[in-house]
Amino acid sequence: MLMKRLIDLHIHSNLSDGDLSPKEIIDRAVSNGVSTIAIADHDTICAYGDELFDYAKEKNIQIIKAVEISTKYHGKGIHVLGYNFNINNKELTDKLYTIRNARHIYLHDVASKLDNYGYTVNVEKLDKIDAVSKSHIATDVIENISNHDLLLKDFSHIPSKGEFIETIMNEGCPCYVEKETITPTLASKLIKDANGKVILAHPVAYKYEDGLTDDEILNLVKEMNADGIEANYIYIDKDNNKINEVEHWNNFAKNNNLITTIGSDFHNNDNIHPDIGLVNEDIKLNDNEIDTIIDNILN
């Protein structure tokens, strides 16, 4: 019996907020039977060097260069995926450096607010993370035993990092800090000017987290001149409910002449979120669909 062919174009390494190194991601991809991957770290392309490409070739893994750029759109956090771009494009690399640096300014500002609120944050440790994120900060707070009493007071249980972020750190919450960012349109232009393809990451998330309608998401896609959307994506909400709207978003893409991609958004193996290759999810793409996705990204 032939093994099902698998690809995964949205994976995070420990160079942003994932747990695995780029090489470990390749090893897990091999273990999961995944043939094509893209490491789409937040606002950094540091994973992509000769050593990684050589290791991928040795393991017979196809790598497509990717990045996930953090942007703001009418006060909403929107993530823009770029694929198959020139990693030596100076305008893109300079802007990514600026965005990453803004992450550390944000870290210090939000840590001050969290401290005033009563939570302890290990800023020195977090400052060593190149692409430090809300996820890193929330995890640090939750795992610090000195914060447990306040966590129990605020939540009546120890929350997940997603729950902590959405309750304490996001816009409208007590420890919200606005981070310097760029618009989806500018992120798209940077990627296209570097000869890459632009994909709106996980539109399903903006529906459930931000209340955006399909029409609003379509307007966003048009405004940023995106090539497509990440339609094949399993959304896990803050209460760890699994939401599969793959069919809906593939129809959305077809009806609006958009290409589609597939991604696990893998950060770590928590037995809740999709694993690399979405091997633990009910998403079935045939060889023709997979070829189409890869061809659309590469050509």
Side-chain angles (χ1 to χ4, degrees):
M1 180 176 167
L2 290 173
M3 285 186 65
K4 179 182 165 188
R5 186 174 166 210
L6 300 171
I7 65 172
D8 189 343
L9 304 184
H10 188 167
I11 303 169
H12 293 280
S13 81
N14 61 1
L15 296 175
S16 65
D17 57 348
D19 281 359
L20 303 183
S21 70
K23 280 188 174 182
E24 288 171 332
I25 285 172
I26 289 175
D27 291 339
R28 192 167 187 86
V30 171
S31 177
N32 287 0
V34 182
S35 58
T36 301
I37 65 169
I39 296 174
D41 279 331
H42 294 287
D43 308 317
T44 179
I45 51 175
C46 291
Y48 294 109
D50 290 342
E51 187 177 356
L52 181 71
F53 291 117
D54 289 344
Y55 191 69
K57 185 176 181 181
E58 176 188 323
K59 297 293 184 177
N60 200 28
I61 293 288
Q62 179 185 24
I63 285 192
I64 297 175
K65 298 183 292 291
V67 67
E68 186 173 24
I69 302 179
S70 309
T71 76
K72 278 283 188 181
Y73 178 77
H74 299 313
K76 314 290 187 187
I78 301 295
H79 290 175
V80 178
L81 289 162
Y83 290 102
N84 195 36
F85 46 83
N86 175 9
I87 60 174
N88 296 312
N89 180 277
K90 189 173 186 305
E91 189 176 3
L92 176 61
T93 56
D94 285 353
K95 182 56 73 172
L96 290 176
Y97 177 83
T98 299
I99 296 170
R100 283 206 314 280
N101 192 47
R103 286 175 174 271
H104 290 268
I105 295 170
Y106 170 82
L107 164 65
H108 286 265
D109 289 347
V110 79
S112 177
K113 275 206 169 185
L114 287 164
D115 181 68
N116 290 336
Y117 192 78
Y119 287 113
T120 299
V121 183
N122 190 336
V123 177
E124 185 176 352
K125 180 187 77 173
L126 293 171
D127 228 356
K128 294 175 182 176
I129 301 171
D130 185 33
V132 66
S133 67
K134 283 183 181 179
S135 178
H136 289 115
I137 299 166
T139 299
D140 181 79
V141 170
I142 291 164
E143 292 181 349
N144 190 327
I145 191 69
S146 68
N147 292 321
H148 280 201
D149 286 347
L150 184 54
L151 288 168
L152 291 173
K153 178 176 177 290
D154 284 343
F155 295 89
S156 75
H157 60 275
I158 301 301
S160 66
K161 64 183 179 184
E163 187 179 4
F164 184 84
I165 289 168
E166 292 188 30
T167 307
I168 302 294
M169 298 174 67
N170 277 356
E171 192 164 2
C173 299
C175 296
Y176 171 71
V177 171
E178 185 172 1
K179 182 176 67 178
E180 180 184 341
T181 187
I182 62 174
T183 65
T185 301
L186 178 55
S188 176
K189 184 178 186 304
L190 287 165
I191 294 163
K192 286 180 178 286
D193 286 350
N195 298 316
K197 290 292 176 70
V198 174
I199 300 294
L200 176 66
H202 41 63
V204 61
Y206 313 128
K207 173 180 174 179
Y208 286 94
E209 291 180 14
D210 302 303
L212 294 186
T213 65
D214 282 12
D215 285 344
E216 288 171 326
I217 290 171
L218 180 59
N219 287 338
L220 167 60
V221 168
K222 289 179 176 177
E223 188 175 320
M224 61 187 276
N225 192 27
D227 297 293
I229 62 170
E230 190 176 32
N232 300 289
Y233 183 96
I234 301 296
Y235 177 64
I236 311 296
D237 70 12
K238 66 177 183 179
D239 298 316
N240 292 330
N241 295 308
K242 185 177 295 186
I243 297 168
N244 183 338
E245 292 191 356
V246 167
E247 183 177 357
H248 171 82
W249 292 106
N250 273 283
N251 287 333
F252 177 97
K254 183 178 179 180
N255 293 336
N256 293 291
N257 197 31
L258 299 166
I259 68 173
T260 64
T261 61
I262 178 170
S264 64
D265 206 356
F266 178 85
H267 289 76
N268 53 65
N269 185 29
D270 61 3
N271 296 313
I272 297 171
H273 293 78
D275 199 349
I276 290 177
L278 296 102
V279 292
N280 55 336
E281 304 298 340
D282 186 24
I283 293 185
K284 296 180 175 65
L285 298 181
N286 60 42
D287 281 352
N288 286 337
E289 290 169 325
I290 289 172
D291 287 337
T292 297
I293 287 174
I294 294 174
D295 288 345
N296 285 336
I297 288 296
L298 295 183
N299 299 305

